[in-house]
Amino acid sequence: MFREKIGTKDFYHMPREYQELLTRVLTIQADCEIGGPHVYGARWLLDAPTADDMHRLSRIIGEEIDHFRKMDRLLKDIHGDGTHLLYKDNSERYLDAFKVTEVPTWAEVAVFCFLVDRVGKYQVMEFVDSTYLPLNEALPGIISEEVGHIGYGHVKMKELCGYGKGRREAQEALNRWYPLALDMFGRSESRRSERYIEWGLKRRTNAEARRAYIEEVNLLIVELGLDVPDEKKGRLYL
Ligand SMILES: [Fe+2]
Ligand SMILES: [Fe+2]
C-alpha cells in the first residue's frame, strides 16, 4: 500500500493509475459540490419559509460553491479543469442524487441537508490524511461547513416533525431521498474502491462507509419518530 505524502510536483512522477484516480475523485467531488445547489437552489433560495431560512440557504449554497472552487483549484493544479461542471445539466451529474430536478416541498430541502450533505461529509472524511497533501489541506474548512449543513437539516427535520403536515412531508421526502443517499456511496463490489485505498486516496470501501452511514442516520430517523425507509431500495446497494 502506498502511504507516502506527496505534493503537486510529485504528482507527475506518480504512476498513471494514481494520477487517474486522483483526477477522477476530485472531478466527482467537484461535481457533487456544485450538484447540490443545482438540485434545490433555483426552486428554494428565494422561496424558503422565513428570512432566516433564506439567509441560511444562501450561505449553504455559497459554501457549496466554495467547496467546488477548492476542488477545482486542486484539479487545475494538476492540469485538470472542473469549469464545465458548473453549468451542466442535472441529468449529466455523476451521482443519481444530483440528477433530481423536482424538489416539490420545503421538507425535501431539509431532508437533502439531513441525508445528502451527511453523505457529503462521509465523502470528504474519506480523504482525511490522504497521500495527496494539497487535498488534505482543503478538508478542515469543508468538513466543518458540512457539519453545519447537516445540523441545519436536522433542526429543520425536528421542526417539520412537530406538526402533522410537516411530518407527512418529511416522511415522504425521506422515503424518496434515502435510497438515493445510500447509492451515493457507489457499488459495494467495486474494484476501483479498493484501488483508491491501495493508493491512500480513500480510507474505507464503499460498503464500509455506507454501513457506518446507515447506522448513524437510522438512529436519528428513529429519534425523530419517522419510519426508516427500506435500505434495499437503493439501485447500487447490495
Ligand atoms: Fe459541500
Ligand atoms: Fe453541504
Side-chain angles (χ1 to χ4, degrees):
M1 259 189 226
F2 181 70
R3 286 296 175 264
E4 278 170 48
K5 305 286 186 200
I6 70 156
T8 306
K9 282 190 192 131
D10 310 308
F11 173 83
Y12 297 98
H13 303 297
M14 292 298 290
R16 193 179 177 84
E17 186 184 31
Y18 185 94
Q19 296 188 11
E20 284 174 359
L21 288 174
L22 181 62
T23 305
R24 179 181 169 83
V25 83
L26 294 176
T27 304
I28 294 176
Q29 193 58 39
D31 191 64
C32 292
E33 299 293 357
I34 198 64
H38 275 282
V39 169
Y40 57 75
R43 169 67 185 84
W44 286 104
L45 174 58
L46 296 176
D47 209 15
T50 68
D52 285 347
D53 290 310
M54 222 179 264
H55 179 244
R56 186 67 183 100
L57 201 57
S58 75
R59 273 183 40 214
I60 290 174
I61 291 170
E63 286 166 1
E64 300 300 9
I65 293 169
D66 189 46
H67 300 171
F68 168 85
R69 290 199 305 175
K70 288 179 168 143
M71 291 299 137
D72 189 41
R73 265 183 225 131
L74 292 170
L75 274 170
K76 288 185 168 115
D77 284 346
I78 53 174
H79 295 177
D81 186 5
T83 309
H84 66 290
L85 304 170
L86 275 174
Y87 309 105
K88 75 182 194 186
D89 198 77
N90 288 23
S91 63
E92 290 166 16
R93 296 279 162 209
Y94 279 95
L95 306 188
D96 285 353
F98 300 111
K99 292 180 182 168
V100 170
T101 50
E102 299 284 307
V103 186
T105 64
W106 172 247
E108 302 238 351
V109 178
V111 166
F112 190 97
C113 293
F114 179 74
L115 289 183
V116 177
D117 285 89
R118 192 181 306 274
V119 179
K121 187 189 97 180
Y122 271 72
Q123 285 172 327
V124 286
M125 291 293 289
E126 284 304 307
F127 306 141
V128 168
D129 202 31
S130 84
T131 52
Y132 191 59
L133 284 170
L135 172 59
N136 301 355
E137 285 158 15
L139 297 179
I142 295 178
I143 291 169
S144 76
E145 285 167 358
E146 289 306 340
V147 168
H149 305 171
I150 297 162
Y152 175 71
H154 199 180
V155 168
K156 294 293 117 183
M157 291 293 277
K158 285 182 193 160
E159 272 177 28
L160 288 159
C161 289
Y163 63 102
K165 182 167 178 270
R167 170 174 295 273
R168 269 196 310 282
E169 289 185 352
Q171 184 70 60
E172 278 168 24
L174 195 65
N175 294 347
R176 183 175 180 219
W177 284 98
Y178 187 85
L180 289 166
L182 298 192
D183 276 353
M184 288 173 73
F185 288 94
R187 293 179 192 282
S188 291
E189 300 301 326
S190 160
R191 185 184 165 275
R192 196 182 283 123
S193 127
E194 284 160 22
R195 301 309 297 160
Y196 279 127
I197 295 169
E198 176 69 27
W199 285 113
L201 294 171
K202 287 191 183 183
R203 304 194 296 172
R204 296 183 285 194
T205 64
N206 294 345
E208 286 166 346
R210 174 166 33 231
R211 181 47 55 193
Y213 174 87
I214 288 171
E215 280 173 22
E216 176 183 321
V217 84
N218 283 9
L219 263 180
L220 298 172
I221 293 170
V222 170
E223 259 175 39
L224 286 164
L226 296 170
D227 298 326
V228 176
D230 181 2
E231 63 182 61
K232 298 284 186 291
K233 288 225 170 98
R235 200 166 56 84
L236 303 179
Y237 184 81
L238 292 167

